[in-house]
Amino acid sequence: MLDTRTKAKLVEQIEAIVGPDHFTTDETDAVLNAHDAWPLSEAKIRAGETLPLADVIVYPSSTEEVSKILRVANDLRVPVVPVGGGAGTCGGTQPTYGGIQLDLKRMDKILAIDGESLLVRVQAGTVGIDLEEEVNRHGYTTGHTPTSLRASNVGGFIATRSGGSMSSLYGKIEDLTLGLEVVLADGSVVRCKAVPRHSVGPDLRQLFIGSEGTLCVITEATLRLFPLPPSRHFRSMCFPDVHSGLMAIRAIFREGIFPSVVRLYDAEDTALHVSTHFEVEEGNCMLMLAFDGRPEKVDIDESISARICIENGAKDYGEGPSKYWWEHRYDMYYPTKFATSGFSVGDTIDIVATYDRLENVYHEMKRVMEAHGAAVMSHFSHMYPNGGSIYMIFFVSQPDAESAWATYREIWDDGVAACLREGGTMSHQHGVGTTRSTYTEAELGSSFEVLKKIKEVLDPNGIMNPGKLGMGGHT
Amino acid sequence: MEDSEAIEQLRLCAGCPKMCRHMCPTFLAWRSDSPTPHGRALLMYQDAKGTRALDERAIEVLYQCLECSQCLTWCLPQVDIATMVENERMRLVNEGRYPRGLDKISSAIKTNHNPFAEPHGKRNKWFVPTKTQGKKILYFTGCTAAYHENGIARSTVSILSHLGYKVSVTPDEWCCGSPLFRTGFRNLGIEQARHNADTLNKSEGEQIVVTCPGCFRAFTKDYPQLGIELKKPVLHISQLLEKHLDALRAVDFGGPITYHDPCHLGRHSGIYDPPRKVIERVSGTKVVEMARSRENAMCCGNGAGMRTLFTDQASTIGDARVSQAREVGAKFLVTSCPFCKNMLASRAGKMLIVLDLPEMVLAAFDSTSKVKM
């Protein structure tokens, strides 16, 4: 929290920038902005605990205002936590050291849709579903549809280096972001031109994508568009185990086929999310596929993929489970009475690894997480020719808050350690935030020093989202 | 709802990653996480759990709600935040902890029986009795049509006469109580309800027709829940007109027509098709639906005390709804609520003609072959 004198100075200058109606120092607003969708924050709120609060929440309407606010914050050495939709799952927008929460929700304009170059220029505070529906009306898709689409926004997509559920075909946010506008800690505005690629030194966009507010505030982006696919087919294949399912996925990519959706549910996840609606033999693993494109191409891709699956021991379930998942893909994001009762907490460790390590990572993480009495279920999704991601989902319930939070932390510690030990990477698309901050150095190894040095140059006073991405507190 | 059940519901909403927020009109108006279903739920949950009591700002947030229930359309666990907000408002009013800006509504209703502080004696000034000698029907005008939207009231009487009804109004009509129920002044609302029930039950009309969905919801939902019985059938004008489709006159309106579902009529009373059937009969064209319609229709911004307490934000919501009508190329925006019509017309400008259903129907009766607006 800020001292009274600093806060008074800050408030005076903030008011001069955004006017009296677009900032608040009210505790109620701070409470309502204090959490994102980090399951531990939500569990603590349910348990009646309070979370760290910002001193001031500011709602800028332009890049110019963001720039002025950062200049003031930098001068006064006040922490700045950018907030997008507040839908992140890692505590990335938690104002750990108080200061300013820079809430970008008023920057919600879709500035230009360019059908010739297939681009959309959009402000960072635009909610994902609003952007997707608007470009849909023009006959396009962003191809970026994370489960949080209704709550997350463009700035958050980019800040957390996110991935959508159809990313195997359309790509992740780093593939989709062609142009970027960011504001640095000293208030300078940096623009990375929107071009398909370049060879003018390193691609600095990639420095800012995934920086989680620790290097800059993202204010605007130019994203790729795709024509809406003329057809989308769903296909479901049930395998006797994870291994055969992964073999099939690998073979599909080797054929040069890029399904829009590739999701392989392990036996536990199949039992919970598929067997409740479809007859599935116990222990089997359901693979859900979708294919986007022209009908002729989709037909071919689907039939080759189906053949590969059957050759790897799958039973054909037709479009059923896959289509059902697609139509209910947001449902799992809603809380349930069971998962929110007592001192329950669940979370997802979304790791990624190459095929040669993927199964080992899966088995080892599952083993160490289950050792804490957690229910663990997983699905493999966001697959590539070289490997893929696993959603290691766990759920634990304890008789009291202290043991629940401690067990939660132990599961994370042991799960991430197992992942790193077996050669995986601790996050595929959710980011680091607060949850994984302490593991960042171990994850990045020698490259962590590079990140730290970049941080020191761009944010010498350490005001930008302190405590996240392994960067420690502010000075 | 038991307290424990309410807390469980609030817990679900407070623990949700905001799956309905993008559809909440007050989120659109403020672009902040505070006036959202999740924000309201979290404040009520923390208060109920003893974590943090409602302070003045929290109370303000609870009044930054239209009670439009659009969040419920998007809520898989079906947490009815609007009802919980309404119950909380009732508690706050009983404790004297409500925004004082509401006093002008409640005191006006108490003294003048309408929220606009208009003299009660002026209530039926618009009414010109007709000579039709048919089935007796009592038109409960509602405050907005009686004082601010006389065109709707006159159109209604005229249409009903065309259809052969003998229409009466009563000088003893008071505010139905809807604005009071929605803002937490339930006891004062009950006074209005009891008076109206006595009046209507004694009236000569065989049935009661209303044009205001707020009145309709009060009569058909609130009064029965309070144990106050209306002994005559209550119809919304759209329901009544649906029964007489063949008797309605069809004309060319000369442009696309869209329809705005009033929250009280649509989501709260389940009436979606009758007004559409009437529009399609009268215009001879299909209703051009807005992107958000029926169960997913966006509120006009006028409800539950919003326009009184937060005029600018209410207008922002009204502007957004008007934009949605323009986006589908509508020339006419028809609704079936004087209160919605009043808000939407105030935001529509000259390029979009806003009509209430009776006004549209009467325009067809009065026209030759093409309506000129």
Side-chain angles (χ1 to χ4, degrees):
Chain A
M1 297 296 280
L2 301 177
D3 63 80
T4 312
R5 211 166 140 204
T6 306
K7 187 170 176 178
K9 267 192 205 170
L10 177 68
V11 166
E12 186 186 344
Q13 296 184 59
I14 293 285
E15 183 166 0
I17 296 167
V18 297
D21 294 337
H22 301 304
F23 78 94
T24 175
T25 57
D26 199 288
E27 186 186 87
T28 287
D29 294 303
V31 166
L32 297 178
N33 237 49
H35 62 286
D36 56 11
W38 183 18
L40 186 62
S41 292
E42 291 173 343
K44 286 184 173 181
I45 289 169
R46 291 196 298 272
E49 295 185 21
T50 53
L51 302 172
L53 302 180
D55 294 274
V56 187
I57 305 169
V58 191
Y59 306 92
S61 65
S62 66
T63 301
E64 191 187 357
E65 285 184 359
V66 172
S67 168
K68 287 179 181 173
I69 293 160
L70 285 178
R71 223 171 292 151
V72 168
N74 203 32
D75 287 347
L76 295 173
R77 309 287 193 267
V78 172
V80 176
V81 181
V83 178
T89 57
C90 306
T93 64
Q94 177 176 286
T96 310
Y97 297 93
I100 297 171
Q101 275 186 325
L102 195 60
D103 192 327
L104 293 154
K105 292 185 183 72
R106 287 180 66 221
M107 294 181 64
D108 62 344
K109 308 286 179 301
I110 297 169
L111 301 166
I113 295 173
D114 175 357
E116 188 176 5
S117 301
L118 289 175
L119 296 173
V120 57
R121 192 159 69 86
V122 60
Q123 287 187 311
T126 306
V127 178
I129 190 81
D130 292 342
L131 174 62
E132 181 62 21
E133 287 182 353
E134 180 60 17
V135 301
N136 287 169
R137 279 190 276 274
H138 289 77
Y140 306 111
T141 176
T142 62
H144 192 69
T145 55
T147 313
S148 65
L149 194 67
R150 293 175 187 165
S152 49
N153 67 22
V154 170
F157 293 162
I158 297 169
T160 57
R161 212 174 157 82
S162 66
S165 51
M166 299 187 292
S167 67
S168 293
L169 176 63
Y170 295 102
K172 315 302 187 265
I173 200 68
E174 70 273 18
D175 307 313
L176 302 171
T177 306
L178 256 62
L180 201 55
E181 180 188 81
V182 305
V183 184
L184 302 181
D186 65 359
S188 53
V189 179
V190 176
R191 294 188 179 89
C192 301
K193 213 186 283 181
V195 286
R197 85 173 297 275
H198 66 76
S199 68
V200 190
D203 187 350
L204 291 174
R205 282 175 307 183
Q206 298 300 336
L207 176 62
F208 301 120
I209 297 172
S211 60
E212 300 195 14
T214 63
L215 301 180
C216 66
V217 176
I218 295 157
T219 49
E220 190 186 304
T222 303
L223 303 177
R224 292 174 69 188
L225 293 174
F226 303 86
L228 279 170
S231 64
R232 173 172 293 148
H233 286 192
F234 296 95
R235 196 69 175 257
S236 322
M237 291 282 172
C238 201
F239 291 87
D241 50 35
V242 158
H243 176 74
S244 52
L246 285 173
M247 293 278 284
I249 292 171
R250 210 171 57 177
I252 289 169
F253 281 105
R254 282 184 183 214
E255 284 286 339
I257 296 169
F258 285 80
S260 53
V261 174
V262 186
R263 301 171 70 88
L264 175 65
Y265 284 57
D266 77 356
E268 289 79 5
D269 217 354
T270 299
L272 191 69
H273 288 113
V274 185
S275 300
T276 40
H277 304 284
F278 300 91
E279 281 289 329
V280 180
E281 197 176 318
E282 196 176 334
N284 279 8
C285 302
M286 188 65 75
L287 172 64
M288 301 177 188
L289 297 167
F291 304 88
D292 285 16
R294 296 190 63 79
E296 316 85 272
K297 180 180 176 298
V298 163
D299 282 347
I300 293 169
D301 287 353
E302 185 183 351
S303 67
I304 294 173
S305 300
R307 177 178 53 76
I308 290 170
C309 290
I310 289 164
E311 284 170 2
N312 280 278
K315 278 178 273 183
D316 190 348
Y317 271 65
E319 68 172 9
S322 181
K323 192 172 186 190
Y324 183 87
W325 167 78
W326 176 255
E327 288 169 352
H328 295 83
R329 65 194 180 283
Y330 298 122
D331 292 2
M332 55 74 63
Y333 219 52
Y334 289 95
T336 63
K337 286 181 186 179
F338 173 69
T340 58
S341 63
F343 299 100
S344 308
V345 60
D347 207 339
T348 299
I349 311 181
D350 62 309
I351 66 91
V352 57
T354 47
Y355 281 118
D356 58 329
R357 296 162 192 263
L358 202 54
E359 281 184 70
N360 285 349
V361 172
Y362 163 70
H363 289 299
E364 190 55 12
M365 284 186 75
K366 190 171 167 63
R367 185 183 67 78
V368 301
M369 292 163 75
E370 284 177 341
H372 293 283
V376 180
M377 67 200 82
S378 310
H379 53 262
F380 299 72
S381 56
H382 308 282
M383 303 305 288
Y384 307 82
N386 317 98
S389 140
I390 318 174
Y391 264 46
M392 300 295 303
I393 302 163
F394 69 87
F395 178 80
V396 69
S397 189
Q398 295 285 327
D400 58 77
E402 196 179 345
S403 49
W405 311 160
T407 306
Y408 172 85
R409 181 42 66 192
E410 286 162 9
I411 293 169
W412 264 98
D413 287 347
D414 291 352
V416 170
C419 170
L420 300 185
R421 200 164 55 239
E422 296 299 326
T425 276
M426 67 173 178
S427 180
H428 173 264
Q429 65 189 57
H430 288 175
V432 173
T434 305
T435 332
R436 295 173 170 91
S437 192
T438 53
Y439 315 128
T440 314
E441 189 169 355
E443 167 67 56
L444 292 179
S446 54
S447 58
F448 183 65
E449 279 305 309
V450 179
L451 183 60
K452 268 178 69 179
K453 283 175 184 161
I454 292 170
K455 167 80 172 173
E456 282 162 18
V457 172
L458 296 185
D459 180 23
N461 297 317
I463 64 163
M464 300 298 293
N465 208 2
K468 316 293 163 54
L469 212 56
M471 301 291 193
H474 84 296
T475 52
Chain B
M1 190 184 289
E2 294 291 320
D3 277 357
S4 59
E5 196 184 336
I7 289 177
E8 186 177 71
Q9 293 282 295
L10 291 171
R11 187 186 79 209
L12 287 172
C13 189
C16 177
K18 306 153 193 168
M19 295 296 278
C20 65
R21 183 186 60 187
H22 65 297
M23 283 290 160
C24 174
T26 57
F27 174 66
L28 179 144
W30 272 277
R31 297 298 291 184
S32 148
D33 259 332
S34 297
T36 65
H38 173 84
R40 293 166 196 125
L42 183 49
L43 293 173
M44 289 189 282
Y45 179 73
Q46 290 191 327
D47 185 62
K49 286 277 287 183
T51 309
R52 186 173 178 274
L54 298 177
D55 61 8
E56 195 177 336
R57 169 64 180 142
I59 291 167
E60 183 179 63
V61 168
L62 292 179
Y63 276 93
Q64 290 172 333
C65 176
L66 289 154
E67 296 184 11
C68 70
S69 296
Q70 192 170 5
C71 50
L72 197 54
T73 303
W74 289 80
C75 182
L76 191 66
Q78 287 291 285
V79 178
D80 185 356
I81 285 298
T83 297
M84 283 191 266
V85 164
E86 193 169 300
N87 290 338
E88 192 65 29
R89 288 177 176 188
M90 187 172 62
R91 182 172 74 95
L92 292 166
V93 167
N94 289 341
E95 293 171 2
R97 300 166 66 209
Y98 59 90
R100 293 297 149 188
L102 292 171
D103 280 340
K104 62 181 173 189
I105 294 181
S106 58
S107 63
I109 294 176
K110 190 165 191 171
T111 54
N112 296 30
H113 313 306
N114 69 79
F116 311 121
E118 296 280 358
H120 179 68
K122 274 178 66 183
R123 191 172 193 101
N124 292 340
K125 285 277 185 197
W126 60 271
F127 181 65
V128 180
T130 58
K131 292 175 183 168
T132 320
Q133 292 300 323
K135 197 173 178 182
K136 289 177 183 171
I137 192 163
L138 186 131
Y139 174 33
F140 189 94
T141 319
C143 302
T144 305
Y147 293 107
H148 290 171
E149 292 287 345
N150 286 170
I152 297 171
R154 288 195 195 97
S155 301
T156 302
V157 172
S158 187
I159 297 161
L160 292 174
S161 301
H162 271 295
L163 296 175
Y165 287 96
K166 178 176 173 52
V167 188
S168 63
V169 295
T170 167
D172 293 324
E173 174 183 315
W174 286 7
C175 170
C176 67
S178 173
L180 300 168
F181 297 135
R182 307 289 83 88
T183 53
F185 293 83
R186 187 170 296 184
N187 291 337
L188 188 53
I190 290 171
E191 283 180 33
Q192 311 300 309
R194 286 193 177 129
H195 167 87
N196 284 325
D198 286 345
T199 301
L200 296 173
N201 289 340
K202 285 179 203 157
S203 72
E204 286 188 353
E206 294 165 34
Q207 53 188 332
I208 300 157
V209 65
V210 296
T211 45
C212 176
C215 301
F216 183 74
R217 182 182 171 194
F219 289 168
T220 58
K221 308 275 184 196
D222 295 311
Y223 286 20
Q225 277 171 16
L226 294 164
I228 296 168
E229 188 189 3
L230 287 180
K231 293 176 179 161
K232 296 170 184 179
V234 177
L235 288 176
H236 184 259
I237 186 71
S238 60
Q239 294 174 303
L240 187 142
L241 291 174
E242 186 194 17
K243 294 174 190 286
H244 298 280
L245 285 181
D246 291 342
L248 302 183
R249 184 142 179 248
V251 292
D252 178 6
F253 274 75
I257 301 168
T258 193
Y259 175 70
H260 165 79
D261 290 280
C263 304
H264 287 321
L265 194 65
R267 275 186 294 270
H268 294 137
S269 301
I271 296 174
Y272 298 107
D273 290 328
R276 285 175 168 78
K277 285 182 183 169
V278 172
I279 293 168
E280 289 177 1
R281 162 67 191 165
V282 167
S283 67
T285 60
K286 292 288 285 181
V287 169
V288 180
E289 296 288 358
M290 288 183 266
R292 290 166 68 169
S293 67
R294 301 179 73 92
E295 290 85 352
N296 195 33
M298 184 179 168
C299 177
C300 71
N302 216 359
M306 181 68 72
R307 200 175 185 181
T308 303
L309 294 173
F310 309 103
T311 310
D312 291 347
Q313 286 79 9
S315 298
T316 300
I317 295 163
D319 288 343
R321 190 59 172 155
V322 164
S323 294
Q324 290 166 15
R326 289 203 184 104
E327 278 166 15
V328 295
K331 184 178 175 190
F332 295 90
L333 171 55
V334 178
T335 186
S336 200
C337 170
F339 209 47
C340 295
K341 189 252 172 168
N342 189 268
M343 166 58 92
L344 295 170
S346 75
R347 311 309 304 171
K350 291 180 180 167
M351 299 304 290
L352 184 69
I353 298 161
V354 181
L355 295 172
D356 200 51
L357 193 67
E359 294 176 311
M360 183 198 185
V361 173
L362 186 66
F365 269 123
D366 287 350
S367 74
T368 48
S369 61
K370 188 165 182 171
V371 171
K372 287 179 186 161
M373 291 283 179

